[in-house]
């Protein structure tokens, strides 16, 4: 997909918005037919909502755009490998393809800590692609946590 870097760049810009709000810098977009239909970034602290991860926020926005929670013809671009919660939501939404930037060895549910999409007994299996603009995603995360540690 030739537009993959363009969509991931938008997700990186959203991740920067999260960092500016003192949230872990993760951003996500949902794309259908080459158009962004949902955007989101991490905001569990601001929203006092443990489910307000970037992926969830982007899927909520896309669902509102389409008037349907099923996002069968959609792709999700996210700067960090989705966690178990987000992977479950991705399955329920029937996202077609997940493209992520940085791997998350501690909580990544697309192959790093666990691979939910490889579980044959589960009902939906999105195509998973990792590593797109990974260096940029990692740099945002590292800079955020370095600044956070220096404040303490």
């Amino acid at each position: 997909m030739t537009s993959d870097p363009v969509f991931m760049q938008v997700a990186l810009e959203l991740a920067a918005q999260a960092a500016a709000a003192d949230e872990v810098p993760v951003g996500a977009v949902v794309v259908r037919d080459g158009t962004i239909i949902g955007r989101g970034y991490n905001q569990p602290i601001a929203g006092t909502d443990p489910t307000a991860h970037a992926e969830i926020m982007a899927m909520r926005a896309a669902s509102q755009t389409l008037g349907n929670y099923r996002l069968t013809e959609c792709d999700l671009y996210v700067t960090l490998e989705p966690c178990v919660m987000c992977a479950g939501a991705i399955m329920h939404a029937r996202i077609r393809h997940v493209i992520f930037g940085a791997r998350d060895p501690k909580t990544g549910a697309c192959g790093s800590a666990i691979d939910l999409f490889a579980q044959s007994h589960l009902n939906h299996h999105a195509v998973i692609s990792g590593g797109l603009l990974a260096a940029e995603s990692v740099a945002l995360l590292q800079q955020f946590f370095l600044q956070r540690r220096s404040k303490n």
Side-chain angles (χ1 to χ4, degrees), residues 12-27 41-43 144:
L12 283 163
E13 291 165 10
L14 289 162
Q17 288 181 36
D22 210 25
E23 301 270 7
V24 175
V26 180
Y41 59 86
N42 268 5
Q43 37 193 312
F144 174 81

Side-chain angles (χ1 to χ4, degrees), residues 1 9 30 32 35 49 68 78 103 106 127:
M1 295 182 192
Q9 187 60 49
V30 176
R32 183 174 184 189
T35 301
D49 179 358
N68 190 342
V78 59
R103 292 203 169 274
K106 293 182 180 179
V127 174

Side-chain angles (χ1 to χ4, degrees), residues 49-120:
D49 179 358
T51 69
H53 287 194
E55 301 94 312
I56 302 294
M57 303 307 288
M59 288 188 291
R60 284 177 182 163
S63 294
Q64 288 294 312
T65 299
L66 296 179
N68 190 342
Y69 78 95
R70 295 219 179 195
L71 304 172
T72 55
E73 300 296 317
C74 298
D75 304 322
L76 174 72
Y77 294 78
V78 59
T79 59
L80 183 65
E81 181 180 357
C83 69
V84 170
M85 175 185 70
C86 292
I90 289 163
M91 287 179 193
H92 285 290
R94 308 295 197 273
I95 292 283
R96 172 178 60 190
H97 190 180
V98 176
I99 303 96
F100 67 86
R103 292 203 169 274
D104 186 347
K106 293 182 180 179
T107 64
C110 298
S112 292
I114 190 170
D115 190 349
L116 289 184
F117 295 97
Q119 301 298 313
S120 61

Side-chain angles (χ1 to χ4, degrees), residues 26-40:
V26 180
V29 296
V30 176
V31 175
R32 183 174 184 189
D33 298 327
T35 301
I36 295 173
I37 62 167
R39 298 168 190 258

